[in-house]
Amino acid sequence: MRKSQKAEQKADHLKRIGLEDQRQSEARSTASGESTTKSGISFKELVLNRENLNLAYQKVYGNKGAAGIDGMTVYELFDYIRENKSELVESVADLTYRPSPVRRVEIPKPDGTKRKLGVPTVVDRLIQQAIAQAMTPVFERAFSDNSFGFRPNRSAHDAIKRVTEFYNQGYHVVIDLDLKAYFDTVNHDLLLKFIRQYIDDEWLLKMIRKFLTSGVMDGQLFQKSEKGTPQGGNLSPLLANIYLNELDKLLSARGHKFVRYADDCNIYVKSKRAGYRVLGNISKFLEKDLKVTVNQKKTKVGSPLRLKFLGFSLGVSAKGTYVRPCQQSKKRVKQSLKKITKRNRGRSLDELFKEINQKMVGWINYYGIGKMKAFIKSLDEWLRSRIRQYIWKSWKKIKTRFKNLIKLGMTRTQARTFDNTRKGYWRTAHSKTLLYTLTNEKLESLGLINMSKRLQFIQNA
């Protein structure tokens, strides 16, 4: 794939890093996607090619991210490479390179459980990214057209559009598969076997096994990694897709309609009876052949109009099928805004608005493909009331309220009448006085996002 002019300029600048000797720089670009047997070039050369390593550095640096167990940040990576380039490349080439254990990090999930992430060191991320870039072109030719997660030029929006297509074709029943702790249960031997089907390169397979078995540091406790590919590594998304590509192949061979985004897989059929039959067969394959566990409590057979996929559900109107944010997504974003605008946080309005804007711009950009004009209008009104409440509480003293109300256009008599109200904060936020002074336009001029305008901009783009 052709790189952008900006990426080319960065690559030219980074070539002076010289991550490998001149001999390796003559290797063919990884964009060819050819296997060792077809091109005559080993994957060692593809991975350690100058252009590939420079691009890997750009990706790791651009993604930022936290430091691994050694404490090195992405900002220190350039200097480290410059001082240790020869030793680093040589150790990778002769397989003496030893990846560090990943640092265990747990983040809360919406259902109250925690997702386990593994944060590799930045040097490990660099090597993983270089390996992933060399492998990706080969597997892109092998992956299913119904797989969308962690793949170039594919997105969750594309997956949702495919779901809509299937529903319009008459597939009104969905099997919503849920795999229990998928990333933590991938079988290493099976994964390497699946890779070998497409890339039979011993050096590459040994490097991948090194990363798979590098272990985990949970605080001060070291844990062996006998299975799984920890979320957080640059190579993990590709490996996870390679593993579940076996499921994709089975579903395609049986003629099923399906959409998969990483470990989220929905299979579409025309009746519930067919759904339960397919679920039984696929569950046996997943647990027996792929050695992963189907979460029977969360796996469901039902209507796409009620079940959610990637945060969306479908809807049907006289104009046809449409997508919309699911109820859980709408409830969750409102809870987040409620937490941000909690009236005892003591943040300045600038900080508060910045936090709200960061949250809502990303949320609307993602869910903007869905039908939610009425919801956003209602959320806008509710959020402005929350802000008026927040501002009123911040004017703690009567004289402060009096002075600010006058600044906002009230007469001294009007301000004196209202500044000592005994109404509660939420009731006051809905009063005609604050609606008159802290108008929608005034709040927007202070920096509060107008979500309805943002949604309209996204949908008209």
Side-chain angles (χ1 to χ4, degrees):
M1 183 181 296
R2 188 182 180 277
K3 296 182 297 181
S4 66
Q5 185 177 356
K6 187 175 180 181
E8 288 172 350
Q9 290 173 348
K10 286 185 178 180
D12 290 340
H13 171 70
L14 292 167
K15 280 180 182 177
R16 59 189 175 88
I17 299 175
L19 287 175
E20 72 306 310
D21 59 27
Q22 190 63 34
R23 182 189 75 257
Q24 291 164 328
S25 70
E26 296 173 356
R28 186 175 302 181
S29 167
T30 58
S32 66
E34 294 177 335
S35 68
T36 305
T37 56
K38 288 184 179 180
S39 67
I41 299 173
S42 69
F43 268 86
K44 183 197 302 186
E45 291 175 290
L46 290 173
V47 170
L48 298 177
N49 168 260
R50 169 179 296 197
E51 181 183 356
N52 189 51
L53 287 168
N54 286 339
L55 181 59
Y57 171 83
Q58 292 174 43
K59 293 276 189 182
V60 171
Y61 186 86
N63 289 338
K64 306 304 180 187
I69 62 170
D70 62 356
M72 185 189 300
T73 67
V74 291
Y75 306 105
E76 301 169 291
L77 182 58
F78 184 91
D79 290 335
Y80 175 86
I81 293 171
R82 186 169 54 185
E83 295 173 8
N84 301 276
K85 56 187 178 184
S86 299
E87 295 85 348
L88 175 61
V89 171
E90 185 178 346
S91 66
V92 173
D94 64 16
L95 293 172
T96 58
Y97 180 81
R98 295 185 63 183
S100 302
V102 298
R103 181 169 63 87
R104 171 69 74 217
V105 175
E106 294 184 344
I107 60 173
K109 295 170 69 175
D111 60 3
T113 60
K114 292 186 177 181
R115 176 178 284 111
K116 294 180 179 180
L117 299 182
V119 182
T121 65
V122 291
V123 178
D124 284 346
R125 298 210 290 265
L126 173 70
I127 304 303
Q128 285 191 37
Q129 181 63 34
I131 292 172
Q133 289 169 182
M135 293 174 64
T136 294
V138 176
F139 283 98
E140 274 302 300
R141 294 198 296 268
F143 286 156
S144 168
D145 186 48
N146 290 321
S147 166
F148 295 89
F150 307 119
R151 294 183 59 189
N153 303 315
R154 286 171 171 253
S155 68
H157 289 175
D158 296 323
I160 295 301
K161 289 176 184 176
R162 186 66 55 84
V163 167
T164 307
E165 291 173 10
F166 288 155
Y167 191 87
N168 287 334
Q169 292 170 14
Y171 295 88
H172 294 173
V173 175
V174 61
I175 304 155
D176 183 11
L177 277 175
D178 186 277
L179 301 181
K180 190 174 182 179
Y182 166 68
F183 283 87
D184 296 327
T185 56
V186 169
N187 183 282
H188 292 171
D189 291 332
L190 280 178
L191 173 58
L192 293 171
K193 173 187 172 184
F194 299 150
I195 295 173
R196 195 185 292 273
Q197 292 175 356
Y198 302 93
I199 302 176
D200 191 7
D201 185 292
E202 287 302 321
W203 176 87
L204 181 70
L205 294 169
K206 287 179 180 178
M207 279 301 302
I208 292 173
R209 188 177 283 277
K210 279 177 175 284
F211 282 110
L212 290 173
T213 58
S214 61
V216 176
M217 287 299 296
D218 193 350
Q220 299 298 316
L221 180 65
F222 173 79
Q223 299 174 357
K224 290 184 178 180
S225 47
E226 298 176 347
K227 60 181 179 179
T229 172
Q231 289 178 270
N234 295 55
L235 190 54
S236 294
L238 176 60
L239 298 181
N241 267 335
I242 292 171
Y243 202 81
L244 284 182
N245 188 50
E246 300 302 308
L247 171 63
D248 297 348
K249 290 193 292 187
L250 177 70
L251 292 173
S252 297
R254 293 183 178 180
H256 291 307
K257 305 290 186 182
F258 70 95
V259 176
R260 185 174 65 79
Y261 193 94
D263 59 327
D264 289 327
C265 184
N266 277 6
I267 307 169
Y268 296 86
V269 293
K270 293 189 174 182
S271 69
K272 279 198 172 184
R273 183 177 179 182
Y276 286 113
R277 185 183 69 249
V278 172
L279 174 59
N281 293 334
I282 295 303
S283 296
K284 289 178 183 177
F285 171 78
L286 287 167
E287 297 188 339
K288 182 179 178 181
D289 295 72
L290 294 189
K291 301 186 187 304
V292 294
T293 303
V294 176
N295 190 331
Q296 298 295 342
K297 290 183 179 180
K298 293 185 177 181
T299 295
K300 299 176 182 178
V301 177
S303 170
L305 304 180
R306 294 184 178 86
L307 299 180
K308 64 183 178 69
F309 181 56
L310 303 178
F312 291 92
S313 294
L314 297 184
V316 178
S317 69
K319 295 181 180 179
T321 308
Y322 61 88
V323 297
R324 56 188 171 85
C326 68
Q327 290 300 319
Q328 295 96 318
S329 298
K330 292 191 286 189
K331 183 178 179 181
R332 204 174 298 144
V333 75
K334 192 168 184 177
Q335 287 174 339
S336 296
L337 289 174
K338 191 172 184 179
K339 186 176 181 181
I340 292 172
T341 57
K342 195 174 180 181
R343 64 185 189 224
N344 62 355
R345 290 190 72 203
R347 299 285 187 93
S348 69
L349 276 183
D350 286 342
E351 291 176 317
L352 197 70
F353 290 164
K354 184 178 179 180
E355 199 172 343
I356 292 170
N357 293 357
Q358 285 177 339
K359 172 71 179 179
M360 293 313 301
V361 167
W363 196 89
I364 294 172
N365 284 350
Y366 181 75
Y367 287 102
I369 64 167
K371 184 177 180 180
M372 58 173 183
K373 185 177 178 180
F375 170 72
I376 288 295
K377 181 182 178 182
S378 172
L379 192 65
D380 253 334
E381 294 171 355
W382 173 83
L383 178 60
R384 285 191 284 259
S385 295
R386 293 283 299 181
I387 296 301
R388 291 185 181 105
Q389 175 186 241
Y390 189 92
I391 292 173
W392 184 252
K393 186 176 187 299
S394 70
W395 299 343
K396 296 181 179 179
K397 297 181 179 178
I398 294 176
K399 63 178 181 180
T400 303
R401 294 173 180 174
F402 178 75
K403 182 168 57 177
N404 285 326
L405 288 171
I406 291 176
K407 284 182 180 179
L408 290 169
M410 295 189 75
T411 65
R412 295 178 67 87
T413 302
Q414 290 172 327
R416 183 61 65 194
T417 302
F418 192 73
D419 61 10
N420 196 25
T421 179
R422 293 174 178 269
K423 294 178 181 177
Y425 293 120
W426 186 242
R427 189 176 175 188
T428 303
H430 292 84
S431 66
K432 291 182 179 180
T433 301
L434 289 193
L435 290 173
Y436 169 75
T437 53
L438 291 173
T439 63
N440 298 350
E441 293 75 16
K442 180 64 177 178
L443 294 177
E444 194 173 346
S445 71
L446 292 174
L448 179 65
I449 185 174
N450 185 316
M451 293 183 284
S452 296
K453 286 184 180 179
R454 180 71 189 181
L455 177 63
Q456 186 177 15
F457 173 78
I458 292 296
Q459 294 184 337
N460 293 337

